[in-house]
Amino acid sequence: MKVTVVSRSGREVIKGGLDLNDSATVADLQEAIHRRTKKFYPSRQRLTLPQKPGTKERPVVLNYKKSLKEYCDGNAENLTVVFKDLGPQVSYRTLFFCEYFGPLFLYPVFYYFPVYQFFGYKGERVIHPVQTYALYYWCFHYFKRIMETFFVHRFSHATSPLANVFRNCAYYWSFGSYIAYYVNHPLYTPVGDLQMKIGFGIGLVCQLANFYCHILLRNLRSPDGNGGYQIPQGFLFNIVTCANYTTEIYQWLGFNIATQTVAGYIFMVVAALIMTNWALAKHRRLKKLFDGKEGRPKYPRRWVILPPFL
């Protein structure tokens, strides 16, 4: 089989094309491209079928597990694919570890070390109980996230663009420092004891619920990350499409009730807006896929992320 590899502009990426066995898969093609180019390793490649001029449909992305013959249109001896360089890639586990490690490391720095001397504060610092509990809560949350990354989550995509590491780390590390600075500040005024207990109580319940939501999502995929889109079921997923995001937002609400800082509420609002966009996109996608037609199940009526508002 002769495979011609072109860019989106139509220029040949591999001069003269590639000769592959008739039984070759898309993964074999990706390995062949890597051998010829050296630079473009498989996870950096995006291969699609050429589109007809003027079409507005999305291009068909080649599945690495499928045979190349499945994408041949009438001519099993020749195939043209469109190549796109996705840029340097990192695994999702690397990405998540980097973004979560920052807050886990930086927050205790503001609690344990005299960093406020560098901000002009020279007085004696008194640590309130809520500041200690906030440290435990914060570290538990991000330690949990790291453990979930390595032992719970199953990823449908193996890699993410390297640029996302810098973007995500900037978001998590800066917000982590911003919140830690105010919660651990020597002039911090603690809330009442009852409010603190209610806030951390809500937060811990939501953290445990969030963990269980991730277990349910994990079970929707096979160990290699495959499984396609399925309707999440069980626990809070019976009433909310993105129950994992719901519990994530409410656990930060609990933290903010207990610690009461503007920085914490800003982080919660920004995170809620980001997750709401993700949830709306996922809700629309699931409703489109499971439309009840041609034997497909119909997606049940559910809240998207924040009942009773959305």
Side-chain angles (χ1 to χ4, degrees):
M1 174 184 290
K2 182 66 172 289
V3 181
T4 303
V5 184
V6 299
S7 65
R8 287 185 293 179
S9 63
R11 179 181 58 84
E12 266 197 300
V13 176
I14 307 293
K15 297 296 182 182
L18 295 166
D19 292 309
L20 298 173
N21 295 328
D22 289 344
S23 61
T25 63
V26 175
D28 295 328
L29 172 58
Q30 290 178 315
E31 289 292 346
I33 294 173
H34 183 212
R35 286 194 297 270
R36 286 286 295 273
T37 63
K38 304 300 181 185
K39 176 181 179 181
F40 303 123
Y41 44 86
S43 60
R44 186 168 174 165
Q45 303 172 28
R46 182 175 183 264
L47 303 177
T48 59
L49 294 179
Q51 286 185 289
K52 295 180 181 179
T55 183
K56 294 183 178 180
E57 295 181 0
R58 289 186 176 183
V60 176
V61 180
L62 275 60
N63 186 320
Y64 75 99
K65 288 187 174 182
K66 290 187 176 182
S67 168
L68 288 173
K69 280 192 173 182
E70 295 185 45
Y71 296 103
C72 293
D73 186 14
N75 190 345
E77 299 301 322
N78 294 280
L79 177 66
T80 298
V81 299
V82 180
F83 169 88
K84 179 183 178 181
D85 176 20
L86 298 177
Q89 302 284 301
V90 296
S91 71
Y92 269 96
R93 286 188 170 84
T94 300
L95 170 66
F96 288 165
F97 174 78
C98 290
E99 64 187 41
Y100 298 149
F101 176 76
L104 180 62
F105 170 77
L106 291 171
Y107 193 100
V109 170
F110 285 87
Y111 179 87
Y112 286 110
F113 296 97
V115 295
Y116 294 96
Q117 293 181 5
F118 300 102
F119 296 100
Y121 185 83
K122 303 299 182 181
E124 183 180 355
R125 179 179 170 220
V126 176
I127 298 178
H128 302 283
V130 65
Q131 293 173 309
T132 301
Y133 296 142
L135 170 73
Y136 297 155
Y137 183 99
W138 183 279
C139 291
F140 173 75
H141 171 76
Y142 282 103
F143 179 76
K144 164 183 162 292
R145 295 293 291 269
I146 290 175
M147 291 298 102
E148 288 174 340
T149 296
F150 287 105
F151 302 110
V152 176
H153 295 322
R154 290 172 176 170
F155 302 99
S156 58
H157 300 287
T159 61
S160 172
L162 177 62
N164 287 348
V165 174
F166 302 101
R167 182 196 65 187
N168 291 14
C169 285
Y171 170 79
Y172 279 99
W173 293 35
S174 59
F175 261 121
S177 300
Y178 181 43
I179 296 169
Y181 174 83
Y182 284 104
V183 174
N184 295 292
H185 199 281
L187 300 179
Y188 171 79
T189 302
V191 299
D193 188 63
L194 178 60
Q195 182 175 335
M196 178 190 71
K197 291 178 179 177
I198 292 173
F200 283 136
I202 292 172
L204 286 173
V205 169
C206 289
Q207 289 220 47
L208 295 175
N210 180 257
F211 174 73
Y212 186 56
C213 287
H214 288 159
I215 294 294
L216 293 177
L217 291 175
R218 165 195 169 90
N219 293 336
L220 295 178
R221 296 189 184 277
S222 59
D224 60 2
N226 291 314
Y229 287 105
Q230 299 183 47
I231 299 177
Q233 294 179 340
F235 193 44
L236 298 176
F237 285 110
N238 291 334
I239 57 174
V240 186
T241 293
C242 294
N244 51 321
Y245 297 155
T246 305
T247 51
E248 178 78 12
I249 293 170
Y250 283 128
Q251 71 184 21
W252 285 117
L253 175 62
F255 177 85
N256 287 322
I257 290 173
T259 56
Q260 204 78 0
T261 64
V262 172
Y265 280 109
I266 291 175
F267 173 68
M268 185 189 72
V269 170
V270 172
L273 290 174
I274 293 172
M275 286 186 278
T276 297
N277 285 332
W278 293 343
L280 288 169
K282 183 175 182 179
H283 189 76
R284 287 192 294 265
R285 187 162 54 245
L286 290 173
K287 287 184 69 176
K288 183 178 180 180
L289 288 172
F290 302 103
D291 54 8
K293 300 176 181 178
E294 299 178 1
R296 293 184 292 269
K298 185 173 179 60
Y299 192 73
R301 183 176 177 84
R302 292 177 178 174
W303 298 104
V304 179
I305 183 172
L306 290 175
F309 307 107
L310 186 63

